[in-house]
């Protein structure tokens, strides 16, 4: 006799299915009850907003979060060495001076502004002077540029302002025309001169400026004492201006000389402006000038009087001859973009007539160039 089959509703599988269905229905009912108040509130808010109200409400919040994230990211974030470099660069931004009573050149922009200032790591090179790189074309363009004044200056003689009749050995020319502020700041005893040199015994220009009432700071690592004051307006400092600060990992007593960047010196001295910056750095001038441009220190300077040396590329300037001359030219064009104009040039015929170790292009190995910042106030 065949065994009698059990009814389907008495099977274990059937009961399990019923239990699962009951649990699922309970969960659905619970979720609907909890979501109903939120959906009602959202619907009421949507009816209270005008057309597109949700878009207008969420837009600024999203952009704000994005801007906050961008404000906290430094260039090269994610790379340890780049993050370290960024933190190192921040130390010489002149935040302390911006908080001073003297107005800064560039006011702080609000968060999210498209004009947020970025750190520059290199100058923008100018196009080649010819379709293909050529030393001849680069040299001719560069030499024409440094020997052609861009603006006229009628008064460049300090004797008209002082009683000092001694002749200055080198033509450290400054522009004293009334249209520029330097002559007025000298007469009102408010000007400041920084002189950068390396064991130079020609101090007549600095003395003449100090006698006129200008505050003069002379930086020379060969000075015996750290700081020496000569007279009422002339200070000598045992410091050498460089294009980088010393490595903090090296103890100060192990360093060969006391070197600092000009931006660091300005911060430490509490100076916001330099009316005249004179530099005779014996081939270090190219990298120092590059540093002043990259850190926007040139915007705090009224006039530049630089002795440039072109008998070799200069300290830490690399590349073949045509590349080096293109780099020199690009630096000077950066000054022009900062509204500096060349008003005087002097070709030193007493120095060897050499251009990148060659007797070529009828060039001297040394030129003294004077620029004025036409936006200087």
């Amino acid at each position: 006799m065949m065994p009698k089959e059990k009814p389907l509703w008495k099977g274990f599988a059937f009961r399990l299915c019923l239990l699962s269905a009951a649990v699922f229905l309970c969960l659905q009912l619970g979720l609907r009850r909890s979501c109903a108040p939120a959906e009602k509130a959202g619907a009421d808010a949507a009816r209270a907003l005008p057309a597109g109200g949700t878009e207008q409400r969420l837009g600024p919040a999203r952009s704000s979060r994005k801007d906050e994230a961008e404000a906290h990211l430094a260039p090269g974030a994610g790379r340890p060495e780049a993050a370290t470099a960024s933190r190192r660069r921040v130390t010489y931004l002149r935040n302390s001076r911006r908080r001073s009573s003297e107005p800064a050149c560039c006011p702080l922009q609000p968060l999210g502004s498209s004009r947020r200032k970025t750190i520059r790591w290199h100058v923008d090179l100018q196009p080649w002077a010819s379709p293909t790189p050529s030393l001849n074309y680069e040299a001719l363009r560069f030499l024409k540029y440094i020997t052609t004044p861009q603006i006229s200056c009628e008064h460049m003689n300090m004797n008209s302002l002082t009683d000092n009749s001694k002749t200055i050995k080198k033509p450290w020319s400054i522009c004293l025309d009334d249209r520029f502020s330097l002559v007025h700041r000298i007469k009102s005893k408010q000007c400041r001169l920084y002189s950068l040199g390396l064991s130079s015994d020609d101090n007549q220009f600095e003395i003449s400026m100090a006698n006129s009432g200008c505050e003069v700071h002379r930086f020379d690592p060969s000075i015996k004492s750290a700081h020496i004051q000569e007279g009422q307006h002339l200070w000598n400092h045992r410091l050498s201006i460089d294009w980088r600060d010393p490595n903090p990992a090296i103890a100060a007593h192990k360093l060969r000389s006391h070197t600092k960047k000009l931006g660091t010196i300005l911060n430490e001295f509490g100076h916001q402006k330099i009316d005249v910056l004179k530099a005779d750095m014996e081939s270090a001038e190219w990298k120092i000038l590059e540093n002043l441009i990259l850190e926007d220190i040139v915007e705090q300077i009224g006039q530049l009087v630089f002795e440039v040396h072109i008998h070799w590329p200069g300290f830490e300037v690399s590349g073949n001859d045509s590349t080096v001359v293109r780099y020199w030219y690009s630096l000077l064009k950066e000054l022009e973009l900062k509204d500096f104009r060349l008003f005087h040039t002097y070709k030193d015929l007493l120095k060897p007539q050499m251009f990148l170790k060659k007797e070529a292009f009828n060039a001297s190995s040394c030129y003294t160039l004077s620029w004025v910042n036409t936006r200087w106030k």
Side-chain angles (χ1 to χ4, degrees):
M1 180 181 230
M2 296 292 292
K4 191 175 182 179
E5 292 183 356
K6 291 183 180 181
L8 183 61
W9 57 273
K10 289 185 177 181
F12 176 78
F14 182 77
R15 292 179 181 180
L16 183 60
C17 290
L18 287 178
L19 181 61
S20 301
V23 172
F24 179 77
L25 288 174
C26 290
L27 290 174
Q28 289 294 324
L29 288 174
L31 287 174
R32 287 186 179 181
R33 287 175 181 174
S34 63
C35 292
E39 290 176 355
K40 184 175 181 300
D44 293 341
R47 285 194 296 271
L49 286 172
T54 304
E55 298 290 335
Q56 296 169 359
R57 191 175 177 184
L58 294 179
R62 287 172 181 166
S63 62
S64 176
R65 285 194 295 271
K66 179 181 178 183
D67 291 337
E68 288 178 3
E70 290 177 350
H72 288 83
L73 287 177
R79 302 193 305 269
E81 68 275 11
T84 304
S86 297
R87 287 195 297 271
R88 203 160 50 235
R89 294 296 292 252
V90 171
T91 59
Y92 54 70
L93 292 179
R94 298 165 299 285
N95 293 333
S96 60
R97 294 202 297 277
R98 286 177 176 173
R99 290 193 295 269
S100 66
S101 59
E102 190 163 341
C105 68
C106 309
L108 292 175
Q109 299 295 327
L111 193 64
S113 171
S114 60
R115 298 175 63 185
R116 188 183 293 117
K117 191 175 181 180
T118 58
I119 295 176
R120 297 179 63 191
W121 299 98
H122 57 81
V123 298
D124 298 325
L125 294 177
Q126 292 291 315
W128 291 100
S130 57
T132 58
S134 165
L135 174 60
N136 185 65
Y137 280 100
E138 294 300 323
L140 292 176
R141 178 176 68 170
F142 171 76
L143 291 170
K144 180 180 179 180
Y145 193 83
I146 67 172
T147 56
T148 306
Q150 299 169 320
I151 193 172
S152 62
C153 181
E154 296 180 4
H155 304 93
M156 294 183 287
N157 192 345
M158 283 297 298
N159 291 337
S160 61
L161 296 177
T162 67
D163 297 331
N164 192 350
S165 60
K166 292 183 180 180
T167 303
I168 298 175
K169 296 180 181 179
K170 288 185 180 180
W172 301 106
S173 300
I174 54 177
C175 189
L176 299 173
D177 286 0
D178 286 338
R179 55 181 169 155
F180 302 120
S181 63
L182 179 59
V183 62
H184 306 291
R185 292 179 64 83
I186 291 176
K187 290 179 178 179
S188 61
K189 314 296 183 183
Q190 294 181 341
C191 81
R192 179 179 295 123
L193 164 71
Y194 270 32
S195 174
L196 319 182
L198 294 174
S199 303
S200 175
D201 57 354
D202 180 14
N203 302 324
Q204 193 57 47
F205 176 73
E206 289 83 350
I207 294 173
S208 177
M209 291 291 286
N211 290 340
S212 70
C214 193
E215 176 188 332
V216 177
H217 295 270
R218 178 172 169 261
F219 299 89
D220 189 337
S222 65
I223 295 172
K224 295 180 180 180
S225 301
H227 305 283
I228 301 175
Q229 183 173 357
E230 295 183 11
Q232 185 178 359
H233 302 289
L234 177 59
W235 287 265
N236 295 300
H237 308 281
R238 191 177 59 197
L239 286 169
S240 177
I241 305 301
D242 203 352
W243 57 93
R244 64 218 156 176
D245 280 328
N247 190 336
I250 302 176
H253 66 275
K254 293 184 178 180
L255 295 173
R256 294 183 179 178
S257 61
H258 301 280
T259 62
K260 293 182 180 180
K261 293 186 298 186
L262 186 61
T264 302
I265 296 293
L266 287 171
N267 276 333
E268 293 180 352
F269 284 22
H271 294 161
Q272 288 82 33
K273 294 181 178 181
I274 305 173
D275 292 279
V276 180
L277 176 64
K278 171 209 167 189
D280 181 6
M281 298 301 295
E282 302 297 337
S283 298
E285 65 275 357
W286 295 112
K287 294 298 290 185
I288 291 174
L289 183 59
E290 179 188 55
N291 172 254
L292 299 183
I293 292 170
L294 293 179
E295 295 188 6
D296 290 330
I297 302 297
V298 292
E299 296 180 356
Q300 300 170 249
I301 300 171
Q303 296 192 26
L304 285 169
V305 189
F306 264 60
E307 185 175 270
V308 298
H309 302 84
I310 60 176
H311 61 287
W312 72 295
F315 291 105
E316 293 196 13
V317 178
S318 60
N320 59 35
D321 289 349
S322 57
T323 302
V324 167
V325 181
R326 182 192 183 198
Y327 166 74
W328 290 345
Y329 177 74
S330 299
L331 281 178
L332 302 187
K333 290 295 286 185
E334 287 273 356
L335 285 178
E336 185 178 334
L337 293 175
K338 297 285 187 179
D339 293 302
F340 280 80
R341 297 294 181 266
L342 184 69
F343 65 87
H344 187 260
T345 179
Y346 170 74
K347 179 181 179 181
D348 195 341
L349 297 177
L350 299 178
K351 295 291 180 69
Q353 306 301 291
M354 301 287 290
F355 186 89
L356 290 177
K357 303 180 181 179
K358 304 178 184 69
E359 293 184 1
F361 307 109
N362 193 28
S364 172
S365 61
C366 180
Y367 290 79
T368 305
L369 309 177
S370 300
W371 294 273
V372 59
N373 184 346
T374 57
R375 289 194 304 166
W376 184 249
K377 301 296 182 183

